[in-house]
Amino acid sequence: MELNTKKIRGLMNDFMLYAWVILSIVDFIFYLIFLYQDILSYQPKTYFLVKVVLPFLINGAIFGISSMVTSSYGYSEQTKNRISGIGLTLICSVISIFHSSILVFWLAPCFGLVYSVIFQDKALKRGLYWISLCSIAASAIIEYHLGSDLPFHVLAETCVLSAVFSTLVYISANILYDFFINAETMIEESDEKQKAYEERLKHDVLTKVYSRYFIDNYLVKQFKDLSLHKPISLAMTDIDNFKHVNDTYGHENGDEVLKRIYEVAKVLDPQKVTVARFGGEEFLFMFMDDDVSMHRTQMEEFRKAFSEQEYPFTDEHFTISAGLVTSYGSIPFDEVLAIADKALYTSKTNGKNQTTIGKI
């Protein structure tokens, strides 16, 4: 499954930037409030350096390194993903460590785990999980040694609950990871089946040349694109007296005659000529040689080669008639095809086994 990891990394960097700036402002506001209420845990200058300046500098360094790596062309996508996840987790860890007196911040390091699911990197998730646990433990230890007003058992319970929550997030991340992998596998298999189905639709089952589906969905567009740059010729062909073949020799032998279109077409360069079954015993040829004079020559060579084919069920030789028209410029496919069809009708009425050139 294709995911826009660049956009996800951009969101993570934005989140880091906002967390860094907003929390620094909040730190300063709380500093002023605590200073006014005279409830600072240190001397004002020390408190300001430890609780405001220090986390600001640490998170700024983390954000700067992460941004530098993710915006550089010298690192792989996996490395950039890992740096983004680690950077986000570390910034949240700094928040947790420096503000553990506000209990909700104990869960902050889990943020990185949530984002890491997108990157489908188990090693990254394991690393972020252990960073989260260490951050929670460090928050509890620091809070306890700073003489927190919270009883020890409350700190211990909070620490355990935070660790349990981190573990649940980690397990959920693994479940989501497996879901993404399974979904990716299913989508890839579906795409492969779709491509295989498309390939089957492109070819006529009986004759093995291109199908009417290919004409309608691919050849028309190809004709339109190529005709803007060079002359393109279309030839509509029809096996002469094909009803007589089926009525006289049976449909199985009639199918054998149809299959010879593919065998004879092998002499043509597939880069220059496309052959497709238009329907029944009608076949469409698209010639793409730069030399327009070669288009009729190629059609005549094919017609003569087909008329020389021998069959095990009869000594009779079968022929085809063709109508050929060359398009100069962006004339619609249907219009060119209609003129080729009229030229084919002329070949039929003039005795068959010939190629008539249609005029645009």
Side-chain angles (χ1 to χ4, degrees), residues 114-293:
V114 176
Y115 276 98
S116 68
V117 177
I118 303 297
F119 298 138
Q120 299 184 13
D121 188 334
K122 281 193 171 182
L124 175 61
K125 286 200 299 296
R126 283 195 297 269
L128 299 186
Y129 172 62
W130 286 109
I131 292 175
S132 299
L133 293 183
C134 291
S135 301
I136 292 168
S139 301
I141 293 169
I142 291 173
E143 185 69 13
Y144 177 72
H145 282 285
L146 288 178
S148 172
D149 294 334
L150 294 173
F152 175 79
H153 71 276
V154 174
L155 284 173
E157 289 173 1
T158 304
C159 184
V160 171
L161 289 174
S162 299
V164 169
F165 184 82
S166 296
T167 303
L168 290 175
V169 171
Y170 175 72
I171 293 172
S172 300
N174 281 328
I175 292 173
L176 286 173
Y177 173 87
D178 292 336
F179 171 78
F180 279 139
I181 292 298
N182 291 334
E184 181 178 11
T185 302
M186 291 174 63
I187 290 172
E188 287 176 352
E189 290 176 352
S190 177
D191 287 344
E192 289 175 1
K193 290 179 180 178
Q194 180 66 25
K195 288 178 182 177
Y197 180 66
E198 284 275 333
E199 285 301 314
R200 288 197 297 270
L201 285 178
K202 285 181 183 179
H203 292 86
D204 181 63
V205 176
L206 176 64
T207 62
K208 297 182 182 179
V209 298
Y210 286 113
S211 65
R212 180 62 182 267
Y213 174 86
F214 177 83
I215 294 174
D216 295 337
N217 292 276
Y218 295 92
L219 199 64
V220 172
K221 183 179 184 304
Q222 186 180 20
F223 175 87
K224 180 180 179 181
D225 293 341
L226 291 176
S227 64
L228 295 173
H229 308 288
K230 62 180 182 179
I232 301 292
S233 294
L234 291 182
M236 180 65 81
T237 68
D238 182 273
I239 299 176
D240 297 325
N241 304 315
F242 189 70
K243 185 178 184 301
H244 161 75
V245 177
N246 281 331
D247 292 344
T248 305
Y249 304 107
H251 288 280
E252 287 188 6
N253 291 323
D255 289 346
E256 183 62 31
V257 176
L258 291 172
K259 292 177 184 177
R260 292 299 175 92
I261 294 288
Y262 174 73
E263 296 299 327
V264 178
K266 288 180 180 178
V267 302
L268 301 173
D269 185 350
Q271 300 296 322
K272 297 179 179 179
V273 185
T274 299
V275 184
R277 188 179 183 184
F278 191 79
E281 67 272 20
E282 291 184 321
F283 292 83
L284 181 66
F285 290 66
M286 188 168 87
F287 298 90
M288 297 165 283
D289 285 29
D290 292 330
D291 185 357
V292 176
S293 63

Side-chain angles (χ1 to χ4, degrees), residues 46-166:
T46 304
Y47 184 95
F48 180 76
L49 292 174
V50 172
K51 290 286 189 175
V52 180
V53 176
L54 187 57
F56 175 80
L57 293 176
I58 294 174
N59 284 340
I62 295 171
F63 172 75
I65 294 171
S66 178
S67 297
M68 180 184 68
V69 172
T70 54
S71 62
S72 172
Y73 293 102
Y75 299 92
S76 67
E77 287 294 301
Q78 185 183 51
T79 299
K80 291 179 179 181
N81 293 343
R82 291 184 174 183
I83 290 298
S84 293
I86 292 171
L88 178 59
T89 304
L90 288 178
I91 282 183
C92 292
S93 297
V94 170
I95 294 170
S96 171
I97 291 170
F98 281 89
H99 301 277
S100 54
S101 57
I102 304 175
L103 298 181
V104 69
F105 285 155
W106 289 47
L107 306 178
C110 297
F111 248 103
L113 281 171
V114 176
Y115 276 98
S116 68
V117 177
I118 303 297
F119 298 138
Q120 299 184 13
D121 188 334
K122 281 193 171 182
L124 175 61
K125 286 200 299 296
R126 283 195 297 269
L128 299 186
Y129 172 62
W130 286 109
I131 292 175
S132 299
L133 293 183
C134 291
S135 301
I136 292 168
S139 301
I141 293 169
I142 291 173
E143 185 69 13
Y144 177 72
H145 282 285
L146 288 178
S148 172
D149 294 334
L150 294 173
F152 175 79
H153 71 276
V154 174
L155 284 173
E157 289 173 1
T158 304
C159 184
V160 171
L161 289 174
S162 299
V164 169
F165 184 82
S166 296

